[in-house]
């Protein structure tokens, strides 16, 4: 049995909140937007706690960046101490 399917939400159309590494995400997106060629960039993700993949390509290269995400439910509520 594949454990990934046990974690899937009941409704795959529900809103998803993920925590991503902003510095790395911003760097790759800025690179894609500043390139001379039109870089088609794709963000692939499931939900928090699963990797996010950023893909881009031109005729000259293909890049695939895999970033860890955090399930927002694991974060401590800042209003409680």
């Amino acid at each position: 049995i594949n454990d990934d399917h046990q974690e899937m939400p009941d409704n795959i159309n529900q809103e998803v909140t993920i925590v991503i590494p902003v510095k790395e995400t911003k760097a790759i997106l800025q690179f894609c937007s500043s390139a001379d060629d039109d870089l088609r960039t794709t963000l692939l993700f499931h939900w928090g706690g699963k990797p996010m993949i950023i893909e881009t390509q031109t005729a000259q290269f293909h890049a695939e960046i895999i970033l860890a995400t955090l399930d927002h439910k694991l974060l401590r509520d800042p209003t409680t101490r």
Side-chain angles (χ1 to χ4, degrees):
I1 297 177
N2 187 348
D3 291 334
D4 289 341
H5 293 294
Q6 293 176 356
E7 297 177 21
M8 284 186 106
D10 294 332
N11 179 0
I12 61 171
N13 293 320
Q14 73 186 33
E15 182 177 319
V16 174
T17 302
I18 60 172
V19 180
I20 60 172
V22 174
K23 183 178 175 182
E24 291 82 359
T25 304
K26 184 178 177 182
I28 187 66
L29 293 177
Q30 283 181 331
F31 170 78
C32 292
S33 67
S34 67
D36 291 337
D37 294 332
D38 287 336
L39 291 182
R40 183 182 183 120
T41 305
T42 306
L43 299 172
L44 306 165
F45 62 91
H46 292 281
W47 57 86
K50 297 291 183 185
M52 178 177 73
I53 301 170
I54 302 174
E55 289 184 319
T56 189
Q57 67 181 36
T58 67
Q60 291 79 25
F61 74 94
H62 174 247
E64 183 176 278
I65 312 296
I66 301 172
L67 299 170
T69 67
L70 181 66
D71 186 346
H72 75 285
K73 295 176 202 163
L74 298 175
L75 297 176
R76 187 178 69 183
D77 184 0
T79 60
T80 60
R81 295 213 165 202

